[in-house]
Amino acid sequence: MSHPISGASLAQEAASAPTWHMLGADEAVKFLGVNSHAGLALQEARTRERLHGPNRLSEKPPRSPWILFFGQFKSPLILVLILAAALAASIGKITDAAVIL
């Protein structure tokens, strides 16, 4: 675990990688073979980027405005309030229906 890993063998070692949240910073730096002050050499960074891809999170496509709008009505409490407003309006209590909404 204390040996530096080259970019080519990093994928092979991933299966036996430690539980990262339990490692101290010095242990993680040593395991990854990185200089904590200078970082990776440019060639090593390129090798790791080719091997593992860019350091980016995948983005979810944005949700449609209609889905966002109708998602507001999922709660049973909201549905009960809409039903109460409709009932109040149906018996002529328009002010009460407006206040409920």
Side-chain angles (χ1 to χ4, degrees):
M1 181 170 109
S2 63
H3 64 285
I5 298 174
S6 70
S9 64
L10 189 58
Q12 296 167 351
E13 295 284 332
S16 64
T19 309
W20 293 106
H21 69 278
M22 296 179 66
L23 287 182
D26 292 335
E27 290 175 289
V29 165
K30 187 184 270 189
F31 183 84
L32 294 172
V34 179
N35 180 325
S36 63
H37 298 290
L40 290 173
L42 182 60
Q43 186 58 39
E44 182 64 18
R46 286 183 179 153
T47 301
R48 291 184 187 194
E49 183 178 22
R50 272 195 310 276
L51 185 63
H52 301 289
N55 188 15
R56 292 193 187 124
L57 296 175
S58 60
E59 294 184 28
K60 291 181 180 178
R63 295 198 313 181
S64 135
W66 289 110
I67 291 176
L68 289 174
F69 176 73
F70 288 117
Q72 303 300 311
F73 303 103
K74 286 182 181 177
S75 168
L77 180 59
I78 298 299
L79 297 175
V80 167
L81 288 172
I82 291 171
L83 181 64
L87 184 61
S90 70
I91 61 173
K93 303 284 188 173
I94 303 300
T95 306
D96 289 347
V99 169
I100 291 171
L101 290 177

